[in-house]
Amino acid sequence: MNDISDILRALLDQLASTSEVEREFASMMNNDPQLKEDYKQWCDEMGYDAKTGYQDFIDEQMQDRDEFWEVMSE
């Protein structure tokens, strides 16, 4: 099974914007049926809606990163 959280975090580290991450992940799911099934299971386990789960996760990760840097700059 693919670790969706790890995949999304890796994409966030590699790509310049959240919209690029969203596009890349959507493309990956379109090309890999197993990833799509793993994503649906991940959404169920994490309590996300399958339509917006990866976007919600990305937003949460970005918020966590912003909060980290706010604390570090104080």
Side-chain angles (χ1 to χ4, degrees):
M1 182 169 143
N2 293 292
D3 188 328
I4 304 302
S5 298
D6 285 346
I7 292 170
L8 290 170
R9 283 188 200 104
L11 289 172
L12 277 168
D13 289 342
Q14 294 170 7
L15 301 172
S17 70
T18 57
S19 60
E20 287 180 290
V21 172
E22 291 172 7
R23 278 193 303 272
E24 179 63 23
F25 188 69
S27 175
M28 290 169 66
M29 284 197 301
N30 285 335
N31 294 324
D32 184 345
Q34 182 60 52
L35 178 61
K36 192 170 193 171
E37 286 303 312
D38 291 346
Y39 170 71
K40 289 177 184 177
Q41 183 179 352
W42 177 81
C43 285
D44 288 342
E45 291 172 2
M46 300 292 286
Y48 291 119
D49 182 287
K51 292 181 183 179
T52 61
Y54 64 94
Q55 294 157 332
D56 294 339
F57 181 81
I58 290 166
D59 289 345
E60 289 170 7
Q61 291 298 302
M62 294 305 294
Q63 183 177 4
D64 288 348
R65 289 179 183 194
D66 289 345
E67 289 173 3
F68 171 81
W69 287 112
E70 286 175 14
V71 169
M72 293 302 292
S73 66
E74 292 178 352

Coordinates of all heavy atoms in Angstrom, one line a residue:
M1 N 0.8 -1.2 0.0 CA 0.0 0.0 0.0 C 0.9 1.2 0.0 O 1.9 1.3 0.7 CB -0.9 0.0 1.2 CG -1.8 1.2 1.3 SD -3.1 0.9 2.5 CE -3.2 2.6 3.1
N2 N 0.5 2.2 -0.8 CA 1.2 3.5 -0.8 C 0.9 4.3 0.4 O -0.2 4.3 0.9 CB 0.7 4.3 -2.1 CG 1.1 3.7 -3.4 OD1 2.3 3.6 -3.7 ND2 0.1 3.2 -4.1
D3 N 1.9 5.0 0.9 CA 1.7 5.9 2.1 C 1.4 7.3 1.5 O 2.3 8.0 1.1 CB 2.9 5.9 3.0 CG 2.7 6.7 4.2 OD1 1.9 7.7 4.2 OD2 3.3 6.4 5.3
I4 N 0.1 7.6 1.5 CA -0.3 8.8 0.8 C 0.2 10.1 1.5 O 0.7 11.0 0.9 CB -1.9 8.9 0.8 CG1 -2.5 7.7 0.1 CG2 -2.4 10.2 0.2 CD1 -2.0 7.5 -1.3
S5 N 0.3 10.0 2.9 CA 0.9 11.2 3.6 C 2.3 11.4 3.2 O 2.7 12.6 2.9 CB 0.8 10.9 5.1 OG -0.5 10.8 5.5
D6 N 3.1 10.4 3.1 CA 4.5 10.5 2.7 C 4.6 11.0 1.2 O 5.5 11.9 0.9 CB 5.3 9.2 2.8 CG 5.6 8.9 4.2 OD1 5.5 9.8 5.1 OD2 5.9 7.7 4.5
I7 N 3.8 10.5 0.4 CA 3.8 11.0 -1.0 C 3.5 12.5 -1.1 O 4.2 13.2 -1.8 CB 2.8 10.2 -1.9 CG1 3.3 8.7 -2.0 CG2 2.6 10.8 -3.3 CD1 2.3 7.8 -2.6
L8 N 2.5 12.9 -0.4 CA 2.1 14.3 -0.4 C 3.2 15.2 0.2 O 3.5 16.3 -0.3 CB 0.7 14.5 0.2 CG -0.5 13.9 -0.5 CD1 -1.7 14.0 0.3 CD2 -0.7 14.7 -1.8
R9 N 3.8 14.8 1.3 CA 4.8 15.5 1.9 C 6.0 15.6 0.9 O 6.7 16.7 0.8 CB 5.3 14.9 3.2 CG 4.3 15.2 4.3 CD 4.9 14.7 5.7 NE 3.8 14.5 6.6 CZ 3.3 13.4 7.0 NH1 3.8 12.2 6.6 NH2 2.4 13.3 7.9
A10 N 6.4 14.6 0.3 CA 7.5 14.6 -0.7 C 7.2 15.5 -1.8 O 8.1 16.3 -2.3 CB 7.8 13.2 -1.2
L11 N 6.0 15.5 -2.3 CA 5.6 16.5 -3.4 C 5.7 17.9 -2.9 O 6.2 18.8 -3.7 CB 4.2 16.1 -3.9 CG 4.1 14.9 -4.7 CD1 2.6 14.6 -5.0 CD2 4.9 14.9 -6.0
L12 N 5.3 18.1 -1.7 CA 5.4 19.5 -1.1 C 6.8 19.9 -1.0 O 7.1 21.1 -1.3 CB 4.7 19.6 0.3 CG 3.2 19.7 0.3 CD1 2.7 19.5 1.7 CD2 2.9 21.1 -0.2
D13 N 7.7 19.0 -0.7 CA 9.1 19.4 -0.6 C 9.7 19.6 -2.0 O 10.7 20.4 -2.1 CB 9.9 18.2 0.1 CG 9.6 18.1 1.5 OD1 9.1 19.1 2.1 OD2 9.9 17.1 2.1
Q14 N 9.2 19.0 -3.0 CA 9.8 19.0 -4.4 C 9.2 20.2 -5.2 O 10.0 20.7 -6.1 CB 9.5 17.7 -5.1 CG 10.2 16.5 -4.6 CD 9.8 15.2 -5.2 OE1 9.0 15.2 -6.2 NE2 10.2 14.1 -4.7
L15 N 8.0 20.5 -5.1 CA 7.3 21.4 -6.0 C 7.2 22.8 -5.3 O 7.1 22.9 -4.1 CB 6.0 20.8 -6.4 CG 6.1 19.5 -7.1 CD1 4.7 18.9 -7.4 CD2 6.8 19.6 -8.5
A16 N 7.0 23.8 -6.2 CA 7.1 25.2 -5.7 C 5.8 25.7 -5.1 O 5.8 26.6 -4.3 CB 7.5 26.1 -6.9
S17 N 4.6 25.1 -5.5 CA 3.4 25.6 -5.0 C 2.4 24.5 -4.7 O 2.5 23.4 -5.3 CB 2.8 26.6 -6.0 OG 2.3 25.9 -7.2
T18 N 1.4 24.8 -3.9 CA 0.4 23.8 -3.6 C -0.4 23.4 -4.8 O -0.8 22.3 -4.9 CB -0.5 24.3 -2.4 OG1 -1.1 25.5 -2.8 CG2 0.3 24.5 -1.1
S19 N -0.7 24.4 -5.7 CA -1.4 24.0 -6.9 C -0.7 23.0 -7.7 O -1.3 22.1 -8.3 CB -1.8 25.3 -7.7 OG -0.6 25.9 -8.1
E20 N 0.7 23.1 -7.8 CA 1.5 22.1 -8.5 C 1.4 20.8 -7.9 O 1.3 19.7 -8.5 CB 2.9 22.6 -8.6 CG 3.2 23.7 -9.5 CD 4.7 24.1 -9.6 OE1 5.1 24.6 -8.5 OE2 5.3 23.8 -10.6
V21 N 1.4 20.7 -6.5 CA 1.3 19.5 -5.8 C -0.1 18.8 -6.1 O -0.1 17.7 -6.4 CB 1.5 19.7 -4.3 CG1 1.2 18.4 -3.5 CG2 2.8 20.2 -4.0
E22 N -1.1 19.6 -6.1 CA -2.4 19.1 -6.3 C -2.5 18.5 -7.7 O -3.1 17.4 -7.9 CB -3.5 20.2 -6.1 CG -3.6 20.6 -4.7 CD -4.5 21.8 -4.5 OE1 -5.2 22.3 -5.4 OE2 -4.6 22.3 -3.3
R23 N -2.0 19.3 -8.7 CA -2.0 18.8 -10.1 C -1.2 17.5 -10.3 O -1.7 16.5 -10.9 CB -1.5 19.9 -11.1 CG -2.5 20.9 -11.4 CD -2.1 21.7 -12.6 NE -0.8 22.4 -12.4 CZ -0.6 23.6 -11.8 NH1 -1.7 24.3 -11.4 NH2 0.6 24.1 -11.7
E24 N 0.0 17.5 -9.7 CA 0.8 16.3 -9.8 C 0.2 15.1 -9.2 O 0.2 14.0 -9.7 CB 2.2 16.6 -9.2 CG 3.1 15.4 -9.3 CD 3.5 15.0 -10.7 OE1 3.4 15.8 -11.6 OE2 3.9 13.8 -10.9
F25 N -0.4 15.3 -8.0 CA -1.0 14.1 -7.3 C -2.2 13.6 -8.0 O -2.4 12.4 -8.2 CB -1.3 14.5 -5.8 CG -1.8 13.3 -5.0 CD1 -0.9 12.3 -4.7 CD2 -3.1 13.2 -4.6 CE1 -1.3 11.2 -4.0 CE2 -3.5 12.1 -3.9 CZ -2.6 11.1 -3.6
A26 N -3.0 14.5 -8.6 CA -4.2 14.1 -9.4 C -3.7 13.3 -10.6 O -4.3 12.3 -10.9 CB -5.0 15.3 -9.7
S27 N -2.7 13.8 -11.2 CA -2.1 13.1 -12.4 C -1.6 11.7 -12.0 O -1.9 10.7 -12.7 CB -1.0 13.9 -13.0 OG -0.4 13.2 -14.1
M28 N -0.9 11.6 -10.9 CA -0.4 10.3 -10.4 C -1.6 9.4 -10.2 O -1.5 8.2 -10.6 CB 0.4 10.5 -9.1 CG 1.7 11.2 -9.3 SD 2.5 11.7 -7.7 CE 2.8 10.1 -7.0
M29 N -2.7 9.8 -9.6 CA -3.8 9.0 -9.4 C -4.5 8.5 -10.7 O -4.9 7.4 -10.8 CB -4.8 9.6 -8.4 CG -4.4 9.7 -7.0 SD -5.7 10.0 -5.8 CE -6.3 11.6 -6.4
N30 N -4.5 9.4 -11.6 CA -5.1 9.1 -12.9 C -4.3 8.0 -13.6 O -4.9 7.2 -14.4 CB -5.3 10.3 -13.8 CG -6.4 11.2 -13.4 OD1 -7.3 10.8 -12.7 ND2 -6.3 12.5 -13.7
N31 N -3.0 8.0 -13.4 CA -2.2 7.0 -14.1 C -1.9 5.7 -13.3 O -1.3 4.8 -13.8 CB -0.8 7.7 -14.4 CG -1.0 8.8 -15.4 OD1 -1.8 8.7 -16.3 ND2 -0.2 9.9 -15.2
D32 N -2.4 5.7 -12.0 CA -2.1 4.5 -11.2 C -3.3 4.1 -10.4 O -3.6 4.7 -9.4 CB -0.9 4.9 -10.2 CG -0.5 3.7 -9.4 OD1 -1.2 2.7 -9.3 OD2 0.6 3.9 -8.8
P33 N -4.1 3.1 -10.9 CA -5.3 2.7 -10.2 C -5.1 2.3 -8.8 O -5.9 2.5 -7.9 CB -5.8 1.5 -11.1 CG -5.1 1.7 -12.4 CD -3.8 2.4 -12.1
Q34 N -3.9 1.6 -8.5 CA -3.6 1.2 -7.1 C -3.5 2.4 -6.2 O -4.0 2.4 -5.1 CB -2.4 0.3 -7.1 CG -2.1 -0.2 -5.6 CD -3.2 -1.0 -5.1 OE1 -3.7 -2.0 -5.7 NE2 -3.7 -0.7 -3.9
L35 N -2.8 3.4 -6.7 CA -2.6 4.7 -5.9 C -4.0 5.3 -5.6 O -4.3 5.7 -4.5 CB -1.7 5.7 -6.6 CG -1.5 7.0 -5.9 CD1 -0.9 6.8 -4.6 CD2 -0.7 7.9 -6.8
K36 N -4.9 5.3 -6.6 CA -6.2 5.8 -6.4 C -7.0 5.0 -5.3 O -7.7 5.6 -4.5 CB -7.0 5.8 -7.7 CG -8.2 6.6 -7.7 CD -8.8 6.8 -9.1 CE -9.8 7.8 -9.1 NZ -10.3 8.2 -10.5
E37 N -6.9 3.7 -5.3 CA -7.6 2.9 -4.3 C -6.9 3.1 -2.9 O -7.7 3.2 -2.0 CB -7.5 1.4 -4.7 CG -8.4 1.0 -5.8 CD -9.9 1.4 -5.5 OE1 -10.4 1.1 -4.4 OE2 -10.5 2.0 -6.4
D38 N -5.6 3.2 -2.9 CA -4.9 3.5 -1.6 C -5.4 4.9 -1.1 O -5.6 5.1 0.1 CB -3.4 3.5 -1.8 CG -2.9 2.1 -2.0 OD1 -3.7 1.1 -1.9 OD2 -1.7 1.9 -2.5
Y39 N -5.5 5.8 -2.0 CA -5.9 7.2 -1.6 C -7.3 7.1 -1.0 O -7.6 7.7 0.1 CB -5.9 8.1 -2.8 CG -6.6 9.4 -2.6 CD1 -6.0 10.4 -1.7 CD2 -7.8 9.7 -3.1 CE1 -6.6 11.6 -1.5 CE2 -8.4 10.9 -2.9 CZ -7.8 11.9 -2.0 OH -8.4 13.1 -1.8
K40 N -8.3 6.4 -1.6 CA -9.6 6.3 -1.1 C -9.6 5.7 0.3 O -10.3 6.2 1.2 CB -10.5 5.5 -2.0 CG -10.8 6.2 -3.3 CD -11.6 5.3 -4.2 CE -11.9 5.9 -5.5 NZ -12.6 5.1 -6.5
Q41 N -8.8 4.7 0.5 CA -8.7 4.0 1.8 C -8.1 5.0 2.8 O -8.5 5.1 4.0 CB -7.8 2.8 1.8 CG -7.7 2.0 3.1 CD -6.9 0.8 2.9 OE1 -6.5 0.3 1.9 NE2 -6.6 0.1 4.1
W42 N -7.0 5.7 2.4 CA -6.4 6.7 3.3 C -7.4 7.8 3.7 O -7.4 8.2 4.9 CB -5.2 7.4 2.5 CG -4.5 8.5 3.2 CD1 -3.5 8.3 4.1 CD2 -4.6 9.9 3.0 NE1 -3.0 9.6 4.5 CE2 -3.7 10.5 3.8 CE3 -5.4 10.6 2.1 CZ2 -3.6 11.9 3.8 CZ3 -5.3 12.0 2.1 CH2 -4.4 12.6 3.0
C43 N -8.2 8.2 2.8 CA -9.2 9.2 3.1 C -10.2 8.7 4.2 O -10.5 9.4 5.2 CB -10.0 9.7 1.9 SG -9.1 10.8 0.8
D44 N -10.6 7.5 4.0 CA -11.5 6.9 5.0 C -10.8 6.8 6.4 O -11.5 7.1 7.4 CB -11.9 5.4 4.6 CG -12.9 5.4 3.4 OD1 -13.5 6.5 3.2 OD2 -13.0 4.4 2.8
E45 N -9.6 6.4 6.4 CA -8.9 6.2 7.7 C -8.6 7.6 8.3 O -8.6 7.7 9.6 CB -7.5 5.5 7.4 CG -7.7 4.0 7.1 CD -6.4 3.4 6.7 OE1 -5.3 4.0 6.7 OE2 -6.5 2.2 6.3
M46 N -8.3 8.6 7.5 CA -8.0 9.9 8.0 C -9.2 10.8 8.3 O -9.1 11.9 8.8 CB -7.0 10.6 7.1 CG -5.7 9.8 6.9 SD -4.7 9.8 8.3 CE -4.1 11.5 8.4
G47 N -10.3 10.4 7.8 CA -11.5 11.2 8.0 C -11.7 12.3 6.9 O -12.4 13.3 7.2
Y48 N -11.1 12.2 5.8 CA -11.2 13.1 4.7 C -12.2 12.7 3.7 O -12.4 11.5 3.5 CB -9.8 13.3 4.0 CG -8.7 13.9 4.7 CD1 -7.5 13.2 5.0 CD2 -8.8 15.2 5.2 CE1 -6.5 13.8 5.7 CE2 -7.7 15.8 5.9 CZ -6.6 15.1 6.1 OH -5.6 15.7 6.8
D49 N -12.8 13.7 3.0 CA -13.6 13.4 1.9 C -12.7 13.1 0.7 O -11.8 13.8 0.5 CB -14.5 14.7 1.6 CG -15.4 14.5 0.4 OD1 -15.0 14.4 -0.7 OD2 -16.6 14.3 0.7
A50 N -13.1 12.1 -0.1 CA -12.2 11.7 -1.2 C -12.1 12.8 -2.3 O -11.0 12.8 -3.0 CB -12.7 10.4 -1.8
K51 N -13.0 13.6 -2.4 CA -13.0 14.7 -3.4 C -11.9 15.8 -3.0 O -11.3 16.4 -3.9 CB -14.3 15.3 -3.6 CG -15.3 14.4 -4.3 CD -16.6 15.1 -4.5 CE -17.6 14.2 -5.1 NZ -18.9 14.8 -5.2
T52 N -11.8 16.0 -1.7 CA -10.9 17.1 -1.3 C -9.8 16.7 -0.3 O -9.1 17.6 0.2 CB -11.8 18.2 -0.7 OG1 -12.4 17.7 0.5 CG2 -12.8 18.8 -1.6
G53 N -9.7 15.4 0.0 CA -8.8 15.0 1.0 C -7.4 15.4 0.8 O -6.7 15.9 1.8
Y54 N -6.8 15.2 -0.4 CA -5.4 15.6 -0.6 C -5.2 17.1 -0.5 O -4.2 17.6 0.0 CB -4.8 15.0 -1.8 CG -5.4 15.4 -3.1 CD1 -4.8 16.5 -3.8 CD2 -6.5 14.8 -3.7 CE1 -5.3 16.9 -5.1 CE2 -7.0 15.2 -4.9 CZ -6.4 16.2 -5.6 OH -6.9 16.6 -6.8
Q55 N -6.2 17.8 -1.0 CA -6.1 19.3 -0.9 C -6.2 19.7 0.6 O -5.4 20.6 1.0 CB -7.3 19.9 -1.7 CG -7.1 19.7 -3.2 CD -8.4 19.8 -3.9 OE1 -9.5 19.5 -3.3 NE2 -8.4 20.1 -5.2
D56 N -7.1 19.1 1.4 CA -7.2 19.5 2.8 C -5.9 19.1 3.5 O -5.4 19.9 4.4 CB -8.3 18.7 3.4 CG -9.7 19.2 2.9 OD1 -9.8 20.3 2.3 OD2 -10.7 18.4 3.0
F57 N -5.3 18.0 3.2 CA -4.0 17.5 3.8 C -2.9 18.5 3.5 O -2.2 18.9 4.4 CB -3.7 16.1 3.4 CG -2.4 15.6 4.0 CD1 -2.4 15.1 5.3 CD2 -1.2 15.7 3.3 CE1 -1.2 14.6 5.9 CE2 0.0 15.2 3.9 CZ 0.0 14.7 5.2
I58 N -2.8 18.9 2.2 CA -1.8 19.9 1.8 C -2.0 21.2 2.5 O -1.0 21.8 3.0 CB -1.9 20.1 0.3 CG1 -1.4 18.8 -0.4 CG2 -1.1 21.3 -0.2 CD1 -1.7 18.8 -1.9
D59 N -3.2 21.7 2.6 CA -3.5 22.9 3.4 C -3.0 22.8 4.8 O -2.4 23.7 5.4 CB -5.0 23.3 3.3 CG -5.4 23.7 1.9 OD1 -4.5 24.1 1.1 OD2 -6.6 23.7 1.7
E60 N -3.3 21.7 5.5 CA -2.9 21.5 6.9 C -1.4 21.5 7.0 O -0.8 22.1 7.9 CB -3.5 20.2 7.4 CG -5.0 20.2 7.6 CD -5.5 18.8 7.9 OE1 -4.8 17.8 8.1 OE2 -6.8 18.7 7.9
Q61 N -0.7 20.8 6.1 CA 0.7 20.8 6.1 C 1.3 22.1 5.9 O 2.3 22.5 6.6 CB 1.3 19.8 5.0 CG 1.0 18.4 5.2 CD 1.6 17.8 6.5 OE1 2.8 17.9 6.7 NE2 0.8 17.3 7.4
M62 N 0.8 22.9 5.0 CA 1.3 24.3 4.8 C 1.0 25.2 6.0 O 1.9 25.9 6.4 CB 0.6 24.9 3.6 CG 1.0 24.2 2.3 SD 2.8 24.1 2.0 CE 3.2 25.8 1.8
Q63 N -0.1 25.0 6.7 CA -0.4 25.8 7.9 C 0.6 25.4 9.0 O 1.1 26.2 9.7 CB -1.8 25.5 8.3 CG -2.2 26.3 9.6 CD -3.7 26.1 9.9 OE1 -4.4 25.3 9.4 NE2 -4.1 26.8 10.9
D64 N 0.9 24.1 9.1 CA 1.8 23.6 10.2 C 3.2 24.2 9.9 O 3.9 24.6 10.8 CB 1.9 22.1 10.2 CG 0.7 21.4 10.8 OD1 -0.2 22.1 11.4 OD2 0.6 20.2 10.6
R65 N 3.6 24.2 8.6 CA 4.9 24.8 8.3 C 5.0 26.3 8.6 O 6.0 26.8 9.1 CB 5.2 24.5 6.8 CG 5.5 23.1 6.5 CD 5.8 22.9 5.1 NE 6.1 21.5 4.8 CZ 6.6 21.0 3.7 NH1 6.9 21.8 2.7 NH2 6.8 19.7 3.6
D66 N 3.9 27.0 8.2 CA 3.8 28.4 8.5 C 3.9 28.7 10.0 O 4.7 29.6 10.5 CB 2.5 29.0 8.0 CG 2.5 29.1 6.5 OD1 3.6 29.0 5.8 OD2 1.4 29.3 5.9
E67 N 3.2 27.9 10.8 CA 3.2 28.1 12.3 C 4.6 27.8 12.8 O 5.1 28.5 13.7 CB 2.2 27.2 12.9 CG 0.8 27.6 12.7 CD -0.3 26.7 13.2 OE1 0.1 25.6 13.8 OE2 -1.5 26.9 13.0
F68 N 5.3 26.8 12.3 CA 6.7 26.5 12.7 C 7.6 27.6 12.5 O 8.3 28.0 13.4 CB 7.2 25.2 11.9 CG 8.6 25.0 12.2 CD1 9.1 24.3 13.3 CD2 9.6 25.4 11.3 CE1 10.4 24.1 13.5 CE2 10.9 25.1 11.5 CZ 11.3 24.5 12.6
W69 N 7.5 28.2 11.3 CA 8.4 29.3 11.0 C 8.1 30.6 11.8 O 8.9 31.4 12.1 CB 8.4 29.6 9.5 CG 9.2 28.5 8.8 CD1 8.7 27.6 7.9 CD2 10.6 28.2 8.9 NE1 9.7 26.7 7.5 CE2 10.9 27.1 8.1 CE3 11.6 28.8 9.7 CZ2 12.2 26.5 8.1 CZ3 12.9 28.3 9.6 CH2 13.2 27.1 8.8
E70 N 6.8 30.8 12.1 CA 6.4 31.9 12.9 C 7.0 31.8 14.3 O 7.6 32.7 14.9 CB 4.9 32.0 13.0 CG 4.2 32.5 11.8 CD 2.7 32.5 11.9 OE1 2.1 32.3 13.0 OE2 2.1 32.7 10.8
V71 N 7.0 30.6 14.9 CA 7.6 30.3 16.2 C 9.1 30.5 16.1 O 9.7 31.1 17.0 CB 7.2 28.9 16.7 CG1 8.0 28.5 17.9 CG2 5.7 28.8 17.0
M72 N 9.7 30.0 15.1 CA 11.2 30.1 15.0 C 11.6 31.6 14.8 O 12.7 31.9 15.2 CB 11.6 29.3 13.8 CG 11.5 27.8 14.0 SD 12.3 27.1 15.4 CE 14.0 27.3 14.9
S73 N 10.8 32.4 14.2 CA 11.2 33.8 14.0 C 11.0 34.7 15.2 O 11.5 35.8 15.2 CB 10.5 34.4 12.8 OG 9.1 34.5 13.0
E74 N 10.3 34.2 16.2 CA 10.0 35.0 17.4 C 11.2 35.0 18.3 O 12.1 34.4 18.4 CB 8.8 34.5 18.1 CG 7.6 34.7 17.4 CD 6.3 34.2 18.1 OE1 6.4 33.5 19.1 OE2 5.2 34.4 17.6

